[in-house]
Structure formats: C-alpha cells, structure tokens
Amino acid sequence: MMKMGDFGQQLRQIRQQKGVGLNEFAKEIGVSPAYLSNLETGKTQTIQLEILSKLQQELHMIIDKDVSENDPTLWRTERIGELLLDLQSTNPTAADYLMTMVEQGVELFTVGSCDIH
C-alpha cells in the first residue's frame, strides 16, 4: 500500500509536470492551499475519499501503486480508455483517428506479419 508521503510526492510531481500551481489546483479540487501543501509534503496523513477521487480525475494518478506494479498493462489500458473518452468529448476526430490506429496496430501484430521487439 502507498504511504501518504509517497502519495504526496507523486501528487506534487504530477501537478508540477502539468504546469498547475498549488493555489490554482487547490481551488480546482476544493481544498485550501495549506491543506494541499500538507498533503504533498506528507504532513497530512488522511484524505477524504471525495478529494482522492477528484485528484484521480484531475491528474489521472496511479492511486493504487500495487495494482500498477502487478499489472501495469491493465492500468495503462484503462488509462488510455479514459483519456480517449475525454478526448472524444472535445475532439471526436482525433479520438477516432487514435482508436483506428490502435485497432489497426493490434490487428497487424496479432496476425503475426510483423515482429518488433
């Protein structure tokens, strides 16, 4: 199980990679900047399920590290599905293109006509 300190470090890293400031992100998820800072630094050891859910949606975080370590393909597949659904609502043409490319790629490798390692 992931420790809150590890969770907080991962949260901060993903937030910063997305270029979102602490104050801005705290407002988006409905918490105070101080609470978010304490969460990121591991000073807060508990988190409400509602806030955890918002974090997962906003940052597409790996909430259960054990699942990702045991089966990263499953996690990635689910995440790709979520990302494509989000893209479908904003850019259906791009989502359709990407889904078509994935389908064609899988068919290509399933047939066995191409072997890339």
Side-chain angles (χ1 to χ4, degrees):
M1 197 69 162
M2 183 181 288
K3 296 177 185 176
M4 286 304 288
D6 296 339
F7 174 82
Q9 289 175 348
Q10 185 180 31
L11 170 61
R12 175 177 279 163
Q13 181 180 17
I14 293 171
R15 178 183 57 75
Q16 289 175 340
Q17 286 174 347
K18 289 185 162 275
V20 180
L22 181 93
N23 292 336
E24 177 186 353
F25 190 63
K27 186 176 180 179
E28 285 178 29
I29 63 171
V31 299
S32 71
Y35 176 81
L36 182 57
S37 177
N38 286 340
L39 190 61
E40 290 184 350
T41 58
K43 292 177 185 172
T44 298
Q45 294 298 311
T46 60
I47 184 170
Q48 294 177 352
L49 188 56
E50 179 182 333
I51 295 170
L52 188 63
S53 179
K54 287 180 184 179
L55 289 171
Q56 185 177 20
Q57 290 174 349
E58 291 293 324
L59 299 176
H60 302 286
M61 290 182 61
I62 303 171
I63 298 302
D64 189 346
K65 189 175 180 181
D66 294 333
V67 171
S68 67
E69 288 175 349
N70 292 334
D71 193 352
T73 302
L74 176 62
W75 178 81
R76 289 180 71 198
T77 302
E78 289 174 358
R79 182 167 184 265
I80 289 167
E82 291 170 5
L83 292 171
L84 285 170
L85 287 173
D86 289 345
L87 184 59
Q88 178 69 32
S89 65
T90 59
N91 191 336
T93 303
D96 184 58
Y97 170 78
L98 290 171
M99 287 186 282
T100 300
M101 291 297 102
V102 169
E103 290 167 343
Q104 289 176 356
V106 169
E107 288 172 4
L108 177 69
F109 289 106
T110 302
V111 171
S113 62
C114 190
D115 188 21
I116 296 178
H117 297 279

